[in-house]
Amino acid sequence: MPTLLKIHVIDGHPQHELVWKKSQVPFICDGCKEFGFGVCYQCPHKKCNYILHEQCAIRRPSPPFQQFFPKCNFQFHKENPLGSTTRVCDICALDIQGFLYQCTREDHDLHPHCASLPPVFSLPDSNTEIYLRKEIKSRCLKCQSKKRSGLSYVSSDGKLCYHVACLKEACLENWKKGLFST
């Protein structure tokens, strides 16, 4: 999907257009309330701090991939349509506080950013491929557990394994340590 350089979000921030940019620091998305860094849509006005993940700004009718939820029909919601009932993302297993995709047939919910995670990627300078999986055979390298809910990223050789939630935590911790820049 081509990236739009400017968008106008009527329902969340009607005052100004949002501009596509690369954030130099982690942010909390005003849509899904999850942290993020890198590419985002942000209000260019200095007194305004409105910012959205690219996936929260450019909303798709349904998530880009549904291999783990084949019977689901996901719909985007700006807030939990069930009211005060706590919803948990079926990919990262963390609470959903804002924007979400919700299945109309089964009890599945997804953060927009989690719903857009790549199902496979390669490590730089390596032939190792990392796959998003439902089942894991080894312990997560961060929390040392096999039993956390949600999905995990697992290397093709099985040596690397991270729960999506643990990977989110590790990315933020490593940024705070200055180990990589956006």
Side-chain angles (χ1 to χ4, degrees):
M1 180 162 125
T3 302
L4 303 171
L5 297 180
K6 291 184 179 182
I7 61 170
H8 194 80
V9 182
I10 297 169
D11 56 356
H13 190 68
Q15 304 89 332
H16 310 122
E17 281 187 324
L18 302 180
V19 178
W20 183 83
K21 67 177 280 190
K22 189 172 183 180
S23 177
Q24 299 302 312
V25 296
F27 59 86
I28 299 295
C29 174
D30 285 300
C32 68
K33 312 299 185 211
E34 285 283 296
F35 82 86
F37 48 91
V39 176
C40 63
Y41 280 92
Q42 187 170 17
C43 184
H45 295 272
K46 293 183 189 267
K47 293 182 181 180
C48 185
N49 293 323
Y50 195 82
I51 189 167
L52 294 173
H53 286 115
E54 187 173 23
Q55 297 83 0
C56 290
I58 308 294
R59 302 170 200 156
R60 298 179 175 164
S62 63
F65 75 94
Q66 295 184 342
Q67 68 191 60
F68 299 104
F69 314 100
K71 296 178 184 176
C72 279
N73 178 25
F74 285 101
Q75 290 186 346
F76 179 85
H77 297 279
K78 292 181 291 182
E79 55 190 28
N80 181 357
L82 301 176
S84 62
T85 306
T86 301
R87 305 307 293 175
V88 174
C89 176
D90 286 287
I91 293 177
C92 70
L94 299 173
D95 287 350
I96 296 175
Q97 304 295 321
F99 291 177
L100 72 148
Y101 285 106
Q102 188 171 61
C103 177
T104 58
R105 296 183 189 143
E106 298 181 12
D107 189 27
H108 293 294
D109 304 290
L110 310 173
H111 288 117
H113 189 260
C114 290
S116 298
L117 291 173
V120 62
F121 64 90
S122 296
L123 293 176
D125 302 323
S126 170
N127 290 331
T128 304
E129 290 191 319
I130 311 294
Y131 297 91
L132 196 57
R133 297 281 186 242
K134 203 172 217 175
E135 305 289 327
I136 59 174
K137 295 178 181 169
S138 58
R139 295 181 186 276
C140 171
L141 292 173
K142 177 150 177 50
C143 74
Q144 299 299 311
S145 174
K146 287 185 187 181
K147 299 186 185 213
R148 189 167 187 169
S149 297
L151 302 181
S152 301
Y153 275 112
V154 181
S155 63
S156 50
D157 62 8
K159 294 180 181 176
L160 298 173
C161 176
Y162 284 95
H163 298 114
V164 170
C166 292
L167 194 57
K168 287 170 127 180
E169 292 169 12
C171 287
L172 187 58
E173 289 168 5
N174 286 336
W175 178 84
K176 286 179 180 178
K177 293 176 186 175
L179 297 179
F180 66 90
S181 62
T182 56

